[in-house]
Amino acid sequence: MILDGAIIFAPVGQLIPKALLDIDRGCAVVCGGIHMSDIPSFAYQLLWEERSVRSVANLTRKDGDDFFTLAGKIKIKTETTLFPLQKANEALDAVRNGNISGAAVLVM
């Protein structure tokens, strides 16, 4: 199966080359965690056809702790739309098209 993209939350750099193998041309692998082990060397061919690897901002665990402390004080209210896992593609379409206010959440 060829994927339209991949988001890796696991802090395991060895997953990056595997994800690059699994995505379609022009797609991205996103490193979504705040920490990850080193990414091993891989063949340039895995990036061929405009595949890319992206990361989130450089955050630390302390940044996360500080955020949750602040969030508890100012009573952040999040808005979510739930989708069953089987409707993940519909959730992605809704996000891409700007039809979601807040966050789309996949429920297993």
Side-chain angles (χ1 to χ4, degrees), residues 56-78:
V56 297
N58 296 326
L59 301 175
T60 66
R61 291 184 190 275
K62 183 177 180 326
D63 294 330
D65 289 340
D66 291 347
F67 169 77
F68 284 114
T69 298
L70 177 63
K73 291 178 183 174
I74 63 174
K75 307 281 190 237
I76 292 175
K77 183 178 180 212
T78 57

Side-chain angles (χ1 to χ4, degrees), residues 13-86:
Q14 293 91 339
L15 295 174
I16 302 297
K18 169 65 171 126
L20 285 168
L21 278 171
D22 292 340
I23 63 172
D24 204 358
R25 40 184 189 207
C27 295
V29 173
V30 178
C31 304
I34 61 172
H35 171 76
M36 181 172 279
S37 62
D38 290 345
I39 299 170
S41 177
F42 56 86
Y44 176 74
Q45 184 175 356
L46 291 179
L47 291 175
W48 191 248
E49 296 180 314
E50 300 188 21
R51 289 172 184 86
S52 63
V53 177
R54 299 179 182 159
S55 69
V56 297
N58 296 326
L59 301 175
T60 66
R61 291 184 190 275
K62 183 177 180 326
D63 294 330
D65 289 340
D66 291 347
F67 169 77
F68 284 114
T69 298
L70 177 63
K73 291 178 183 174
I74 63 174
K75 307 281 190 237
I76 292 175
K77 183 178 180 212
T78 57
E79 200 170 322
T80 60
T81 302
L82 303 180
F83 291 87
L85 183 59
Q86 298 83 354

